[in-house]
Amino acid sequence: KLMLKLKDSHPEFYYAYRYNRQINKPGNRHTRISGVAAAPGGAPVFQARVTATEVSSGMQYKTNTGIAGDFVLPLTKAGTYRVTATHPDWAAPSEQLVEIRLGDQQSVTLQFSKVV
């Protein structure tokens, strides 16, 4: 009941409390962006460099794709991320904008266009 009273007078506190309460519940997921980097025919791209850049701060998270073209980027902060993939054998790196909140998981497919 106290939190409902604070909702109007202190909305930042209320929403922070609500998000933290959801995250601390047992069974909640971790915040992350995952997905696959794929060639034009759908084949996986091994060792593509995947970078998620938080748009407002420029903070970057990086990883490489595995043998199946898959990747997972654990994130420490909510926001809008520009997710890109690059590979020396493929042209036109793929790029997507992803908005994520704490506790969310987003899945993306990063599609390369052609061989260099």
Side-chain angles (χ1 to χ4, degrees), residues 32-52:
R32 68 182 181 189
I33 297 173
S34 60
V36 175
V45 177
F46 177 58
Q47 289 296 316
R49 184 66 164 171
V50 179
T51 304

Side-chain angles (χ1 to χ4, degrees), residues 48-80:
R49 184 66 164 171
V50 179
T51 304
T53 305
E54 209 262 321
V55 174
S56 65
S57 69
M59 178 183 254
Q60 292 187 332
Y61 300 87
K62 297 179 181 184
T63 191
N64 290 332
T65 58
I67 193 82
D70 57 331
F71 67 91
V72 175
L73 283 165
L75 305 173
T76 58
K77 133 179 212 195
T80 301

Side-chain angles (χ1 to χ4, degrees), residues 3-112:
M3 293 313 300
L4 292 176
K5 290 179 182 178
L6 290 173
K7 183 177 182 180
D8 293 330
S9 61
H10 296 82
E12 299 88 12
F13 178 81
Y14 171 78
Y15 288 111
Y17 172 81
R18 192 178 78 184
Y19 282 121
N20 286 328
R21 185 169 176 185
Q22 288 175 348
I23 291 167
N24 292 328
K25 285 182 182 176
N28 260 11
R29 304 171 303 207
H30 297 284
T31 306
R32 68 182 181 189
I33 297 173
S34 60
V36 175
V45 177
F46 177 58
Q47 289 296 316
R49 184 66 164 171
V50 179
T51 304
T53 305
E54 209 262 321
V55 174
S56 65
S57 69
M59 178 183 254
Q60 292 187 332
Y61 300 87
K62 297 179 181 184
T63 191
N64 290 332
T65 58
I67 193 82
D70 57 331
F71 67 91
V72 175
L73 283 165
L75 305 173
T76 58
K77 133 179 212 195
T80 301
Y81 288 86
R82 178 172 288 110
V83 183
T84 60
T86 58
H87 193 279
D89 296 339
W90 296 94
S94 183
E95 176 177 304
Q96 290 188 22
L97 282 178
V98 176
E99 188 168 332
I100 195 160
R101 291 184 289 176
L102 289 177
D104 280 358
Q105 294 182 19
Q106 295 283 340
S107 183
V108 297
T109 298
L110 302 170
Q111 188 72 44
F112 286 95

